[in-house]
Amino acid sequence: MIDPDLVRDAFVERFGGAPELVAFAPGRVNLIGEHTDYNGLPVLPIAIDRGATFALTATEDAVVTVVSKQFPREARISRRAAGRESEPWHRYVAGVLDELRGIAGGKGANVLIDSDLPTSGGLSSSSALSVGLTAGLAALWGDALPGEDLARRAAAAERRVGVETGGMDQTVIALAEAGHALRIDFLPPAHRQVALPEGLAFVVAASGEDAPKGGAVREAYNERVVGTRIAALMLADMLGVDLEGVPLLGAVADIDAASVMVEELPAAMAARAAANAAEANVERIVSLSAAHFDSAKKVPVKSYARHVLAEAERVNAAEAALVAGDLKAFGKTMNESHDSLRQDYRCSTPALDRVAAAMRKAGAFGARLTGAGFGGYAVAACPPEAVARVIEAAQAATGGPAFEVRASDGVRLL
Ligand code: NG1
């Protein structure tokens, strides 16, 4: 965490008075459960000890000015006319303002943000921004939001930016407790704190490839959202299950039966063909919150579904291993997750494979890519005494950075 006094000083320098409030929103590392959240299936992330620090003061003009020490150009957005921002990070601010439109309408704010979270993908810098800003502004305007509400609004704000985020990041950043992972379920929404056993440390390592959620990565992510929706629709059709609304693999009643039937799915299929086959409205598959996917584009279906269904089982196995204190078994689930993401979900890269392998070889219980993939970061679970070795091996594999992270509390006022 950046020293809050430095953030206060920077605020004074820019805005000319002390901030009324300082808040911190951590980044997150997903331990396991990758690309399951937007299918309504569980995840097991931690909040970490790095994140974004916010200094804020209220104004009376319904204008929100946000300065970031990491991103160019100040955002200066009227709460009455948010919505046409061209700078990518300004769109997150506008999304948050939209989600707070019911709160203290006449108020504005001056905000300064500084962060020690890498922005290259996988550690959730975007959700630290959306959750921290939502929490900070709501508290500043007199309406501190409970954790679940905060997570829901921040996720909705991010969907406006165009990524069909499942809600894992915002939930763990809002609700995490130090020393625990957070098991999150989505259908129906639920969460529980999972105590991390003694003798378990975490290292994260950059692949050296940026994976920001613009352009190609957004398209690749959304393709998987659509591919798994097609799979859910087809599996429900085969199993005679009625799915309402958006077809989610987590809603195909019997996951065991679905895991068997998955091999009967076509390797690739277009949304339009799936909708015709299942006599369903194609919009249920291709319509995303802020984007529309080409219904004629063939996308992988079988291998995507195979990964998601098996990954949900691995989350259960990983949680059970943590509860039992069986760190080898926990590491094994992480390795299997990585292999499945590489082979079936096709979202790993040679650099992520290399850094994960190097960390395992240096003594980690297990290692895997974390977050959406396509570059960004990998995480290793290791014995505390192996941390230095694992960091060194990761740096040698990719040039770094690599560092230890600790399971920390979620968003908080300082
Ligand atoms: P990253 O790549 O860390 O932003 C994204 C999604 C998650 C989840 C993972 C894949 C956002 C904000 N987050 O994480 O909800 O779907 O990919 O498991 O889009």
Side-chain angles (χ1 to χ4, degrees):
M1 184 196 297
I2 305 268
D3 178 353
D5 283 337
L6 292 180
V7 183
R8 282 191 188 92
D9 291 349
F11 184 93
V12 173
E13 197 174 302
R14 168 60 187 82
F15 292 110
E20 281 171 51
L21 194 147
V22 178
F24 173 75
R28 73 95 182 87
V29 170
N30 190 18
L31 301 182
I32 196 158
E34 218 63 86
H35 292 281
T36 45
D37 62 349
Y38 52 81
N39 268 289
L41 288 165
V43 292
L44 191 66
I46 56 171
I48 60 174
D49 48 340
R50 292 190 181 217
T53 306
F54 301 73
L56 312 94
T57 289
T59 61
E60 300 300 327
D61 55 0
V63 170
V64 175
T65 302
V66 188
V67 185
S68 161
K69 298 285 254 182
Q70 278 69 45
F71 294 112
R73 285 180 278 282
E74 293 187 11
R76 194 175 153 72
I77 301 175
S78 161
R79 292 187 69 191
R80 300 195 183 97
R84 273 193 295 279
E85 290 62 38
S86 53
E87 186 71 35
W89 75 272
H90 292 185
R91 292 190 208 136
Y92 285 86
V93 178
V96 166
L97 295 183
D98 225 3
E99 286 302 316
L100 293 178
R101 63 190 170 278
I103 300 178
K107 295 264 186 197
N110 291 330
V111 186
L112 184 132
I113 311 173
D114 199 356
S115 167
D116 58 357
L117 208 54
T119 55
S120 48
L123 302 186
S124 227
S125 54
S126 63
S127 298
L129 171 64
S130 67
V131 177
L133 197 58
T134 308
L137 287 173
L140 188 69
W141 294 336
D143 202 353
L145 298 170
E148 285 86 351
D149 191 14
L150 188 55
R152 192 186 49 71
R153 290 185 199 235
E158 288 192 53
R159 284 191 200 107
R160 288 166 195 273
V161 180
V163 179
E164 204 62 16
T165 168
M168 153 172 65
D169 305 352
Q170 301 81 3
T171 306
V172 68
I173 291 171
L175 296 169
E177 281 178 20
H180 294 74
L182 190 70
R183 153 86 186 217
I184 310 171
D185 288 278
F186 299 93
L187 289 177
H191 56 85
R192 60 176 171 260
Q193 305 289 343
V194 180
L196 294 168
E198 293 285 306
L200 178 60
F202 297 108
V203 168
V204 294
S207 65
E209 300 153 329
D210 280 4
K213 289 269 169 13
V217 171
R218 181 163 77 187
E219 190 61 22
Y221 184 95
N222 289 347
E223 176 190 294
R224 283 151 182 80
V225 173
V226 168
T228 52
R229 286 183 183 179
I230 293 174
L233 188 69
M234 300 307 289
L235 284 171
D237 202 41
M238 289 175 194
L239 294 164
V241 177
D242 252 348
L243 287 189
E244 302 211 338
V246 174
L248 304 179
L249 284 167
V252 179
D254 183 341
I255 295 291
D256 287 342
S259 302
V260 174
M261 296 300 285
V262 82
E263 296 307 321
E264 309 292 318
L265 287 170
M269 196 176 199
R272 193 182 292 158
N276 286 343
E279 293 179 16
N281 181 349
V282 71
E283 288 304 313
R284 287 169 60 195
I285 307 174
V286 290
S287 132
L288 307 171
S289 304
H292 210 268
F293 198 84
D294 178 2
S295 63
K297 185 178 174 195
K298 264 193 166 187
V299 299
V301 171
K302 189 198 305 202
S303 69
Y304 286 176
R306 192 193 291 132
H307 163 75
V308 171
L309 294 169
E311 185 76 354
E313 307 259 314
R314 281 189 287 269
V315 173
N316 293 332
E319 184 186 354
L322 286 180
V323 171
D326 186 344
L327 299 179
K328 285 211 171 101
F330 178 69
K332 186 161 169 274
T333 63
M334 292 177 80
N335 293 342
E336 288 168 357
S337 169
H338 185 85
D339 290 345
S340 172
L341 288 160
R342 174 170 53 78
Q343 285 165 11
D344 281 341
Y345 223 61
R346 304 178 205 177
C347 62
S348 189
T349 63
L352 281 168
D353 296 343
R354 212 167 48 242
V355 74
M359 292 196 288
R360 287 174 202 153
K361 208 164 156 220
F365 298 119
R368 54 183 291 281
L369 71 84
T370 186
F374 314 106
Y377 271 73
V379 57
C382 51
E385 61 276 13
V387 164
R389 247 185 0 255
V390 168
I391 290 176
E392 208 176 297
Q395 282 167 342
T398 62
F403 47 89
E404 185 177 4
V405 292
R406 290 170 209 280
S408 303
D409 285 326
V411 68
R412 55 208 182 257
L413 301 182
L414 299 178

